[in-house]
């Protein structure tokens, strides 16, 4: 059974914004949703736990219909919304992060450990007693991520998780995603291609449609990105020009360059 299976999904808020989306996400995948502003990424994501209902077509998450089984699906799927103000509603940081696991039945020390662990993962362990409304936007974003981590869902969906985070915040989110790889299913939505190079596969969306699905080296192609009004990350531009594919991270980039250099040295020796 797949983590997500979407068939011919249509949705309209008045005018149609999803125009027949087909998408499959395998269990254990780190899957990217890439697309310019207004492509329909957030709208698609809100179908994964039944917040929005398809006008036409079907959505299945771990074989369940989120509209028909919202309680079951919401235990399996945790969505970090694009705007943390849509996620946080308790007076204090601790209460907000504890809300989900409390509803799952956790109490006492077990609950406390879950909350502290999730806050530590986003570097907010010293903020537990703070009032949510006093936090900066970036701090709220980290707490919003912690609320979802604390529930330990099978599928974690991050809508623009890197937006508004500083260098350390972005590194922490990358580390969280790497720690989930292989254990959980992860969906990452962003209009910035550079954050999606770490994905196993990426779907490029534009105008309410999926334009292309494939591994980063196929989808993060400079011409295609420009055509869809997306920034071309310098690293993608450079590696594409060198014919080296798309490195997932700096280590992979170094390994690719080493390979290129040794191939050139060998051909000079001949
Ligand atoms: N609540 C709403 N009511 C009416 N129209 C909406 C609503 N939410 C989104 N839209 C419209 O639906 C389209 C898709 O929006 P959506 O937020 O899904 O795009 P997105 O790909 O997430 O964009 P972004 O990169 O800006 O987050 C946009 O044209 C937007 O104006
Ligand atoms: Mg969005």
């Amino acid at each position: 059974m797949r983590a997500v299976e979407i068939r011919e999904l249509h949705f309209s808020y008045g005018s149609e914004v999803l125009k027949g989306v087909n998408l499959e996400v395998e269990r254990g995948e780190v899957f990217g949703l890439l697309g310019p502003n207004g492509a329909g990424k957030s709208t698609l994501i809100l179908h994964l736990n039944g917040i929005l209902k398809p006008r036409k077509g079907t959505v299945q998450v771990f074989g369940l219909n989120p509209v028909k089984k919202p309680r079951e699906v919401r235990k399996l799927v945790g969505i970090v919304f694009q705007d943390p103000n849509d996620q946080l509603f308790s007076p204090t940081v601790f209460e907000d992060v504890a809300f989900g696991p409390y509803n799952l039945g956790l109490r006492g020390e077990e609950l406390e450990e879950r909350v502290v662990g999730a806050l530590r993962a986003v570097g907010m362990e010293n903020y537990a007693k703070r009032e949510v409304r006093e936090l900066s936007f970036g701090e709220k974003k980290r707490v919003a991520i912690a609320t979802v981590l604390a529930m330990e869902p099978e599928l974690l969906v991050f809508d623009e998780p890197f937006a508004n985070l500083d260098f350390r915040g972005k590194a922490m989110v990358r580390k969280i995603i790497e720690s989930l790889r292989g254990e959980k299913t992860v969906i990452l939505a962003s209009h910035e291609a550079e954050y999606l190079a770490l994905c196993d596969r990426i779907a490029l969306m534009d105008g309410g449609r999926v334009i292309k699905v494939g591994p980063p080296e196929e989808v993060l192609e400079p011409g295609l990105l420009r055509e869809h009004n997306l920034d071309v990350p310098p690293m993608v531009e450079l590696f594409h020009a060198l014919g080296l594919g798309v490195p997932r991270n700096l280590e992979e980039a170094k390994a690719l360059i080493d390979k290129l250099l040794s191939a050139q040295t060998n051909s000079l020796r001949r």
Side-chain angles (χ1 to χ4, degrees):
M1 187 204 308
R2 294 205 165 90
V4 176
E5 215 166 283
I6 297 175
R7 295 266 174 266
E8 283 303 317
L9 172 62
H10 289 256
F11 182 80
S12 112
Y13 290 107
S15 61
E16 192 168 56
V17 299
L18 296 179
K19 302 173 182 171
V21 170
N22 290 293
L23 205 64
E24 290 168 354
V25 179
E26 306 293 340
R27 274 168 183 258
E29 255 193 312
V30 177
F31 191 93
L33 274 183
L34 173 66
N37 295 141
K41 306 180 294 295
S42 297
T43 303
L44 178 70
I45 284 171
L46 295 177
H47 282 81
L48 296 176
N49 68 358
I51 295 176
L52 296 180
K53 298 182 177 63
R55 188 172 64 74
K56 247 170 51 190
T58 58
V59 175
Q60 285 210 312
V61 181
F62 299 108
L64 299 169
N65 178 336
V67 176
K68 291 196 177 138
K69 305 262 178 204
R71 303 233 267 116
E72 288 88 334
V73 168
R74 282 175 201 184
K75 277 184 196 161
L76 295 170
V77 182
I79 300 180
V80 180
F81 298 125
Q82 183 161 4
D83 183 346
N85 292 313
D86 292 339
Q87 194 119 31
L88 307 173
F89 48 83
S90 305
T92 69
V93 169
F94 186 93
E95 286 165 285
D96 240 325
V97 181
F99 181 82
Y102 184 89
N103 280 334
L104 292 177
L106 271 62
R107 297 290 184 275
E109 244 176 56
E110 208 187 352
L111 178 64
E112 187 138 336
E113 274 171 23
R114 190 70 82 82
V115 174
V116 172
L119 285 173
R120 196 178 299 125
V122 294
M124 294 293 285
E125 65 271 34
N126 297 327
Y127 286 67
K129 296 204 176 88
R130 289 279 300 272
E131 282 190 45
V132 173
R133 61 183 176 83
E134 288 177 351
L135 301 180
S136 77
F137 193 84
E139 288 166 347
K140 281 185 189 169
K141 191 111 196 183
R142 291 169 184 234
V143 175
I145 293 170
T147 63
V148 170
L149 292 178
M151 297 189 64
E152 300 186 351
E154 284 305 308
L155 167 63
L156 295 97
V157 186
F158 298 94
D159 197 353
E160 301 281 357
F162 299 103
N164 295 94
L165 290 190
D166 58 20
F167 175 76
R168 199 171 65 107
K170 286 188 182 117
M172 281 178 167
V173 174
R174 279 207 190 90
K175 202 170 138 198
I176 289 168
I177 292 160
E178 288 306 338
S179 74
L180 297 167
R181 191 190 289 278
E183 301 282 316
K184 307 280 187 176
T185 309
V186 177
I187 296 178
L188 272 179
S190 178
H191 63 279
E192 291 175 278
E194 69 168 295
Y195 299 128
L196 298 186
L198 55 72
C199 293
D200 299 314
R201 287 192 306 146
I202 300 171
L204 169 63
M205 286 184 74
D206 199 359
R209 291 193 172 87
V210 173
I211 308 293
K212 184 167 182 166
V213 184
E217 57 272 23
E218 282 174 24
V219 178
L220 302 186
E221 197 273 310
L224 185 66
L225 295 178
R226 286 207 182 86
E227 191 185 321
H228 292 282
N229 195 22
L230 293 160
D231 275 336
V232 181
M235 188 111 116
V236 168
E237 189 95 78
L238 176 65
F239 278 77
H240 184 79
L242 294 171
L244 288 179
V246 178
R248 272 193 190 168
N249 51 43
L250 211 54
E251 284 71 49
E252 235 181 82
K254 282 179 188 151
L256 285 172
I257 289 176
D258 282 344
K259 219 168 103 184
L260 179 76
L261 290 178
S262 67
Q264 282 188 339
T265 320
N266 286 342
S267 70
L268 284 176
R269 280 206 194 108
R270 265 185 227 126

